[in-house]
Amino acid sequence: MTTDFRTPALDALAKEIIPEEHFTFSAATARDRFFNDTRMLDVKQWVHNAFRTNPTSMIGHMIDHLALTGTEDLLDLGCGNGFILEDLRPHLADGSITGLDIAPAVLQAARQRLHGTATPCTWIEGSADDLSMLGDDTFDRVMANYMIHYVPDLDRCFTGVRRVMRPGGIFQLTTDRTDSMLEMYDAHFAALNAMGAPRDLFKASPKGRLSLTNGADLLGKHFERVHTVTWQDQLRFTSTEPFMRFYEVGHNHCCASSEEDERLTASFFAELRERVQAQVTAAIEARGYFAVTKYTGSFLCQ
Ligand SMILES: C[S@@+](CC[C@H](N)C(=O)[O-])C[C@H]1O[C@@H](n2cnc3c(N)ncnc32)[C@H](O)[C@@H]1O
């Protein structure tokens, strides 16, 4: 199903609130702070699935474009807790899966999730920009889903992917447009503004490093063909609580709580949550639901 959620109001909102700058997380932050347990991933995966209005799930879209025959050797960079691999695995009944992630806690969750299944699985703790432990021409498919903005050296990562991928293979990199989930950022920035919060908190997202908007150029340096596929979805919340968990735990308050900072006290976050929650509650009362519009997609590289 193709759903176009684009409206003039959303376009205007995008111009107003998309931050010009983005920031870069350190590998240590990803490993030791965000993904030292599966909480953040669990909340996001639950919400993206439970509150979607697109009948095809995010994983359904990914699988459609991987064109699997069942015998491929697949490498998943930043595989997380194996949420995607679990659904993908039956499509590789006679193939193999290698999951690589920088964070041991989520990698262990992936290992447990796929334990005992028929597809041989290998789990590697490491960073996606160092694939030196993997041989040339080893994989038919390589995936990097919603993780590339964390990788310190993108050129080194793509050079490695090119090397480990067999001729005719596909590298699928899935990411968001920078204006994805605008409504959440709008509520967040409105709350920060009302609080007179420090300006550096308005950078908001690391995703501008490589998004659906700018990624094709970067990937084009490493791959002969880069084809972009997109899809849309709208999460609709009729109660504030699941949205607030998505915002607070799943997105670290739109990244405001990503790094320790003495200005960011418990009372700061209490007020921020209260202000965001008030806007979401008002939207639900006015319209019946609070919408979060997603613009996402994949680069298919060969
Ligand atoms: C938002 S999660 C996405 C997980 C999974 N791909 C999915 O879509 O459900 C990002 C993942 O990238 C991992 N990660 C972060 N930096 C990494 C790096 N430099 N190399 C490999 N994995 C990394 C994190 O530990 C985390 O599991």
Side-chain angles (χ1 to χ4, degrees):
M1 187 188 82
T2 311
T3 312
D4 194 355
F5 291 110
R6 204 73 206 168
T7 61
L10 278 178
D11 279 333
L13 192 56
K15 285 202 188 84
E16 221 175 279
I17 69 165
I18 292 178
E20 287 183 4
E21 291 178 79
H22 58 79
F23 56 87
T24 310
F25 290 124
S26 71
T29 301
R31 188 185 56 233
D32 305 333
R33 227 171 125 66
F34 296 170
F35 303 108
N36 60 348
D37 59 36
T38 63
R39 241 167 35 118
M40 200 171 157
L41 281 174
D42 291 341
V43 169
K44 282 211 264 206
Q45 289 159 349
W46 165 65
V47 164
H48 281 300
N49 209 30
F51 296 88
R52 66 186 156 96
T53 51
N54 189 325
T56 305
S57 70
M58 172 182 85
I59 304 179
H61 284 284
M62 290 177 192
I63 292 175
D64 283 352
H65 295 296
L66 277 173
L68 297 169
T69 64
T71 59
E72 289 80 5
D73 297 308
L74 175 136
L75 168 66
D76 187 9
L77 300 175
C79 63
N81 59 357
F83 176 75
I84 294 171
L85 288 175
E86 182 178 30
D87 278 11
L88 195 110
R89 196 211 52 79
H91 299 265
L92 289 172
D94 295 310
S96 75
I97 288 174
T98 300
L100 178 145
D101 202 286
I102 201 166
V106 297
L107 196 62
Q108 178 61 8
R111 184 195 301 271
Q112 276 165 4
R113 197 186 276 257
L114 275 87
H115 177 72
T117 61
T119 308
C121 294
T122 304
W123 305 104
I124 301 173
E125 186 184 322
S127 183
D129 53 7
D130 178 8
L131 302 182
S132 55
M133 75 298 275
L134 300 169
D136 295 359
D137 301 338
T138 308
F139 299 99
D140 307 291
R141 299 287 183 274
V142 181
M143 299 195 302
N145 300 316
Y146 301 110
M147 61 77 67
I148 203 68
H149 48 285
Y150 291 110
V151 177
D153 189 338
L154 294 178
D155 278 324
R156 192 158 167 243
C157 172
F158 299 144
T159 303
V161 170
R162 178 70 279 174
R163 182 182 65 74
V164 302
M165 200 164 79
R166 295 187 178 122
I170 300 174
F171 173 40
Q172 183 186 65
L173 188 157
T174 306
T175 186
D176 287 331
R177 259 170 39 181
T178 41
D179 57 349
S180 192
M181 302 197 285
L182 274 175
E183 300 92 336
M184 176 171 73
Y185 287 97
D186 185 41
H188 171 73
F189 288 134
L192 284 182
N193 259 324
M195 292 166 70
R199 292 312 298 173
D200 52 295
L201 288 183
F202 287 74
K203 285 191 282 186
S205 168
K207 286 190 181 173
R209 274 192 77 206
L210 193 156
S211 70
L212 269 192
T213 323
N214 65 11
D217 286 348
L218 213 72
L219 287 159
K221 291 187 208 155
H222 297 270
F223 298 91
E224 261 168 51
R225 268 176 293 168
V226 179
H227 175 61
T228 311
V229 290
T230 62
W231 62 92
Q232 304 184 11
D233 200 351
Q234 192 169 66
L235 309 177
R236 289 183 187 164
F237 301 88
T238 58
S239 126
T240 51
E241 194 274 334
F243 170 78
M244 290 307 291
R245 277 175 61 199
F246 186 62
Y247 166 68
E248 186 183 338
V249 181
H251 286 89
N252 283 324
H253 306 88
C254 291
C255 295
S257 52
S258 295
E259 306 282 354
E260 306 255 7
D261 187 322
E262 62 184 17
R263 297 167 303 175
L264 306 178
T265 58
S267 64
F268 175 91
F269 285 111
E271 183 179 350
L272 180 62
R273 282 194 291 275
E274 203 174 296
R275 288 181 181 275
V276 169
Q277 183 162 350
Q279 295 175 73
V280 174
T281 305
I284 293 172
E285 281 170 6
R287 191 181 182 182
Y289 60 85
F290 179 63
V292 175
T293 308
K294 286 172 51 178
Y295 299 106
T296 188
S298 298
F299 297 112
L300 303 169
C301 311
Q302 287 187 295

